[in-house]
Amino acid sequence: MEHIKLGLKENWKQFTILVIVNAFVGGMIGMERTIFPQFANLEFGVASKTAILSFITAFGLTKAITNYFTGKLANRFGRRNLLLIGWLLAIPIPFMLINASSWNWVIFANILLGMSQGLTWSSTVEMKIDLVGEKDRGLAIGLNEFAGYFAVGVVAFLSGYVANKYGITPYPFYIGIFISIIGFFLTLFFVKDTRAFVHKESTTDNTDQLNNVFLETTFKNKTLSAVTQAGLINNLNDGMIWGLFPIILFSLKYNAENIGIITAIYPTVWGIGQLFTGKMSDIYSKKAMLFWGMLLQGLAIFFIPFSSSFLALVLISTILGLGTALVYPTFLATIAQATIPTQRAESIGIFRFWRDLGYAFGAIISGVTADLFGLEYAIFLIGGLTIISSLIIKFRMPETSKVIKECIYSDVQ
């Protein structure tokens, strides 16, 4: 145990490998991000907004459930083993999409994608948190999420470009074949498990133990539950943007390449922004970052129906990315701060369970609302829920900046 040292500088080699691995994890989502509504319509004749968004519902439900079990099983089976299983599940997905004979095959591929993402993304973020210790936790999460979501944006652009040049299938899905195979072999040969780091940190941590991790994270603990509801609403609006934003752009007569540019800006800004907001969450008020981030998202969503020019839509996509960048690493940094090391993976798993259920809720709510009342009403509803979520953060979550300053001060001493 003596040879194990916590810290970013002390574990930079393993940390860098995990950053690269998570970029490949994010790339698997980017493959679908731009082209799927057109893929559904052109290849399978699926026109209903609810039916098109069913692939996001399938993805969100399975990712949410897998997140929960990844958190529960991480200490027992090891993060690396769960990461490898996640990559094995990813490899068949692009082949299934290329050869899909019906929309049901596409849904099944997205069930596998949800399981794969739950195992891979949860494992990489937990391993980075294990390695760095408390002082650089926000920075570690920011780097992890930067790598993942920057890759989402890059691959979203690439898939849109390839679709515009060569057709909606099969060429964009070849990107996924490359990503999944490289990700698996990187993990197999270079990633090491981090359970020993959890035991090391447990010897010096004095955070109170949670009596019931699920109930405390979901309802009872003011900090954890406020963060959890915001995570759910964040991905609820992301599910709407993923599914309906390309449909809106398509209705405005944008081609696949321009849709790719506009939709890619949001996750790219989200990804790059986390290089800065992750470290900010180690220094500044987590509560303020969460409040302003959710509020920015809600306001940006409200402006979507009033915008049709390329520049206006690029600006909206940018503001959405900035708002999400403020909250995303801060969610996990706050939960990590509020839980003991041995309960951390489980609490993060529960948070990610509710957060990624937001994809399913967002797809169902926005799809049904769009079919019944129109796209504008779906967007206004999701924007309103996002603003309400920011107010719950403001009035329910206790301030945490004092705790952070005390930690920094004690580190200096």
Side-chain angles (χ1 to χ4, degrees):
M1 190 74 75
E2 285 72 23
H3 71 281
I4 294 172
K5 293 183 179 178
L6 301 173
L8 185 56
K9 187 162 54 174
E10 291 82 354
N11 299 288
W12 71 270
K13 289 181 183 176
Q14 187 64 202
F15 190 92
T16 303
I17 290 164
L18 287 166
V19 168
I20 294 167
V21 168
N22 205 54
F24 283 93
V25 173
M28 287 299 293
I29 294 284
M31 174 184 68
E32 293 190 348
R33 194 90 192 186
T34 302
I35 63 172
F36 242 54
Q38 287 171 271
F39 178 61
N41 189 265
L42 295 174
E43 295 297 313
F44 303 100
V46 177
S48 156
K49 310 297 185 297
T50 309
I52 288 175
L53 269 60
S54 61
F55 81 92
I56 300 175
T57 306
F59 168 81
L61 282 171
T62 50
K63 184 167 185 255
I65 294 165
T66 308
N67 282 336
Y68 176 73
F69 285 104
T70 303
K72 290 278 285 185
L73 301 173
N75 290 333
R76 188 185 306 175
F77 295 109
R79 280 85 158 140
R80 178 181 177 274
N81 290 335
L82 296 178
L83 181 55
L84 278 170
I85 294 167
W87 279 122
L88 284 173
L89 290 172
I91 290 170
I93 293 165
F95 294 101
M96 292 172 67
L97 294 172
I98 289 168
N99 296 294
S101 56
S102 70
W103 187 243
N104 287 334
W105 274 104
V106 176
I107 299 296
F108 183 59
N110 273 271
I111 288 171
L112 277 186
L113 182 63
M115 293 170 66
S116 170
Q117 289 283 307
L119 287 162
T120 51
W121 207 304
S122 292
S123 297
T124 56
V125 75
E126 285 164 12
M127 292 169 89
K128 288 188 187 72
I129 291 171
D130 296 342
L131 289 171
V132 301
E134 186 171 0
K135 190 165 80 69
D136 290 320
R137 193 171 282 150
L139 175 61
I141 296 166
L143 288 167
N144 183 77
E145 303 300 287
F146 155 73
Y149 285 98
F150 184 72
V152 171
V154 169
V155 177
F157 168 75
L158 281 175
S159 62
Y161 175 80
V162 171
N164 194 56
K165 198 166 181 68
Y166 301 107
I168 210 79
T169 187
Y171 294 102
F173 300 120
Y174 290 164
I175 300 168
I177 296 171
F178 171 80
I179 287 169
S180 57
I181 291 171
I182 297 296
F184 173 77
F185 282 111
L186 270 175
T187 303
L188 183 65
F189 292 118
F190 296 107
V191 172
K192 298 170 185 172
D193 199 64
T194 57
R195 274 179 293 184
F197 289 83
V198 176
H199 299 312
K200 172 79 171 180
E201 190 182 350
S202 298
T203 60
T204 57
D205 186 85
N206 57 7
T207 308
D208 292 336
Q209 184 166 337
L210 302 175
N211 293 324
N212 184 308
V213 183
F214 186 87
L215 289 179
E216 294 280 354
T217 304
T218 306
F219 302 113
K220 293 175 130 183
N221 184 290
K222 286 186 177 181
T223 296
L224 296 175
S225 61
V227 169
T228 297
Q229 68 80 27
L232 187 150
I233 297 297
N234 182 94
N235 279 22
L236 181 143
N237 72 47
D238 189 39
M240 182 274 291
I241 293 159
W242 183 357
L244 294 188
F245 203 22
I247 294 172
I248 293 165
L249 297 174
F250 193 61
S251 72
L252 293 170
K253 309 301 181 191
Y254 286 101
N255 63 25
E257 186 174 351
N258 282 331
I259 292 173
I261 292 168
I262 294 167
T263 56
I265 285 169
Y266 159 53
T268 304
V269 172
W270 172 358
I272 293 171
Q274 288 175 109
L275 283 173
F276 307 97
T277 58
K279 186 59 185 173
M280 284 169 63
S281 73
D282 288 325
I283 301 168
Y284 300 110
S285 164
K286 291 179 172 66
K287 177 178 178 177
M289 290 178 68
L290 293 172
F291 168 71
W292 286 108
M294 296 302 292
L295 187 63
L296 267 179
Q297 290 176 46
L299 293 173
I301 290 166
F302 261 109
F303 277 98
I304 291 173
F306 304 107
S307 308
S308 58
S309 75
F310 185 81
L311 284 177
L313 291 162
V314 163
L315 181 61
I316 285 170
S317 198
T318 303
I319 294 169
L320 272 169
L322 287 171
T324 313
L326 277 169
V327 300
Y328 230 70
T330 313
F331 287 149
L332 295 176
T334 307
I335 287 176
Q337 181 183 300
T339 52
I340 62 171
T342 51
Q343 291 182 324
R344 185 168 60 216
E346 186 175 356
S347 188
I348 286 174
I350 292 161
F351 161 76
R352 288 169 65 86
F353 164 76
W354 287 113
R355 191 196 68 188
D356 288 334
L357 270 183
Y359 279 126
F361 292 149
I364 293 167
I365 291 168
S366 59
V368 170
T369 306
D371 279 333
L372 291 177
F373 304 106
L375 284 168
E376 293 86 357
Y377 287 94
I379 293 164
F380 290 143
L381 175 61
I382 300 300
L385 289 172
T386 306
I387 291 171
I388 290 168
S389 176
S390 74
L391 296 175
I392 293 172
I393 288 284
K394 187 171 181 64
F395 294 110
R396 178 166 172 77
M397 180 178 167
E399 184 56 74
T400 57
S401 60
K402 185 177 177 214
V403 177
I404 299 165
K405 286 173 187 172
E406 286 172 358
C407 289
I408 293 168
Y409 181 76
S410 65
D411 283 342
V412 173
Q413 294 295 96

